[in-house]
Amino acid sequence: MGFVPEWWILAAAALAGAAPLGVFAWLLRRTPPARPAAPPAAAPAPPRVEPARAAAAAAPRAAPEPVAPRAPEPVAPRPAGLAQRLARTKDALLGRLGAVLGERKLDDALLGELEALLFGADLGVATAEDLLARVRREAAGGGAEQVRAVLKQAIAEKLARIEPTGDPLALAAKPHVVLVLGVNGSGKTTTIGKLAARYRAAGRSVVLGAGDTFRAAAREQLQRWSERTGAELVAGADGGDPAAVAFDTVKAARARGADVAIIDTAGRLQTKAPLMEELAKIARVIGKEVPGAPHETLLVLDANTGQNAISQAREFTSRAGVSGIVLTKLDGTAKGGVIVGLADELGLPVKYVGVGEGAEDLRDFSAAEFVDALFSS
């Protein structure tokens, strides 16, 4: 039987004559007691955190430091190729040669044109005649390529005779004394600075002597080079005795234990006998302080002067015991053929060639490299 509401039971009991209180008591016994309310659920306990982790979590997180891009390592510019530096000389000699030869075979008419070309190439008369005789003998009836090959071989043989041997920076003593000669404007003082840079790059200590006491600009120029290269400088008073400066330079080099002493001299014309004789005095003075000095006497010649460079070399070598030549400014002249004439007439070693303004442009002379650059396509 389904659920019967309590008021129906009360009504039925009243109709049956039952006492109301008895019916009410019966209802109370019939109703089940109310269940007590369940206590509220306890909040879940927080998870246990280790103290060290808690401190780390509570600390503010530092922003990552930006990583600076790695700077590229400096790369020294590569020196220009010798062929590029000799472009004007090459054009003057080989460019004209190509125009003269063309597709022709070597005959008397072509020999006449070739003779004029060689005489105008600042080779010197004797050298031009020798080269022409070689071509006539070995390339008769041949074409342009054969003539070029004979000329290249003949010039290479001449230059090979003046190529120095051994280490160009080898020291003969301590200090190794280098005396540098040349006329004003030849690039003498600049060559001294570049030479100092080469020795310093090789780990040698250097003392420079400003022996050109008649030209303040020369001393100032050497001062800049000494600061640039880390070499020491010995200088005298304006107009002072160059031999005294030379003596002080080698004395200072000995006292300081320097490896190399390089001495500038007054720029002079090779035709001025008293000035040329002074060079012998300088050599005697430094030889007393350092036996055997000067160990090298370098003559600096400007290639731009062409045949005059040969005249200068002839006079200097007759009076000053020149041991080697530095031929400068080859990058700016069409007269670089003078080096072949120097080789033929004097036979002195060409120790360095100057082909630019930078210290790296004072280069060791290599006959094969020079000829290859001159005859390159």
Side-chain angles (χ1 to χ4, degrees):
M1 181 178 177
F3 174 75
V4 179
E6 286 83 349
W7 62 271
W8 282 12
I9 297 173
L10 287 173
L15 291 176
L21 288 176
V23 175
F24 183 73
W26 178 81
L27 286 173
L28 286 178
R29 288 194 303 269
R30 182 177 179 270
T31 303
R35 293 182 179 180
R48 185 177 180 183
V49 180
E50 297 290 338
R53 294 183 181 176
R61 181 175 296 179
E65 295 183 3
V67 179
R70 184 178 179 182
E73 294 183 4
V75 178
R78 292 184 62 186
L82 192 58
Q84 180 181 341
R85 298 300 200 190
L86 296 179
R88 294 186 64 181
T89 293
K90 177 182 174 181
D91 289 344
L93 180 58
L94 278 303
R96 295 176 188 173
L97 181 64
V100 167
L101 293 175
E103 300 297 325
R104 300 161 64 184
K105 299 292 184 182
L106 187 66
D107 55 16
D108 288 342
L110 184 53
L111 276 170
E113 295 179 44
L114 186 58
E115 180 180 22
L117 185 152
L118 293 176
F119 273 86
D122 285 283
L123 299 169
V125 174
T127 301
E129 288 178 344
D130 186 65
L131 291 174
L132 191 65
R134 181 87 174 257
V135 170
R136 183 184 290 112
R137 185 171 62 251
E138 298 182 16
E145 287 304 314
Q146 187 174 353
V147 172
R148 283 173 58 93
V150 170
L151 281 175
K152 181 177 180 180
Q153 182 61 31
I155 291 174
E157 290 173 5
K158 291 179 182 297
L159 294 183
R161 294 198 293 267
I162 61 169
E163 182 177 342
T165 59
D167 180 1
L169 300 182
L171 306 184
K174 186 171 182 175
H176 179 83
V177 181
V178 183
L179 189 63
V180 185
L181 322 176
V183 303
N184 287 333
S186 63
K188 171 173 57 69
T189 306
T190 299
T191 296
I192 291 172
K194 294 177 179 180
L195 190 56
R198 287 183 59 126
Y199 278 115
R200 293 292 294 139
R204 309 292 192 183
S205 53
V206 178
V207 175
L208 302 177
D212 190 350
T213 59
F214 303 107
R215 193 166 63 96
R219 184 176 64 251
E220 294 167 0
Q221 192 175 1
L222 274 188
Q223 178 66 46
R224 290 193 295 272
W225 275 106
S226 73
E227 294 168 357
R228 178 176 172 182
T229 62
E232 297 187 53
L233 178 67
V234 175
D238 289 345
D241 182 5
V245 174
F247 178 81
D248 290 344
T249 300
V250 294
K251 187 174 182 179
R254 286 191 67 184
R256 296 164 192 173
D259 297 309
V260 182
I262 309 175
I263 303 171
D264 194 6
T265 58
R268 62 200 74 223
L269 295 175
Q270 72 274 17
T271 56
K272 302 295 183 181
L275 293 176
M276 295 294 289
E277 289 169 1
E278 187 180 84
L279 294 175
K281 176 185 175 182
I282 293 173
R284 288 195 304 271
V285 166
I286 61 180
K288 290 179 181 179
E289 180 65 20
V290 178
H295 304 101
E296 291 184 74
T297 300
L298 300 180
L299 173 61
V300 180
L301 298 171
D302 178 359
N304 284 297
T305 60
Q307 289 300 294
N308 190 39
I310 296 178
S311 173
Q312 291 175 31
R314 192 180 294 118
E315 291 296 325
F316 273 102
T317 54
S318 69
R319 296 171 183 259
V322 174
S323 61
I325 289 174
V326 182
L327 191 60
T328 64
K329 307 182 185 181
L330 277 166
D331 57 313
T333 183
K335 299 182 178 182
V338 68
I339 194 172
V340 186
L342 286 168
D344 237 12
E345 293 202 27
L346 299 173
L348 281 173
V350 175
K351 191 162 186 183
Y352 303 106
V353 290
V355 292
E357 294 296 325
E360 71 280 1
D361 291 319
L362 182 66
R363 305 189 187 181
D364 300 335
F365 174 68
S366 164
E369 183 183 11
F370 191 93
V371 172
D372 286 345
L374 200 61
F375 283 83
S376 63
S377 300

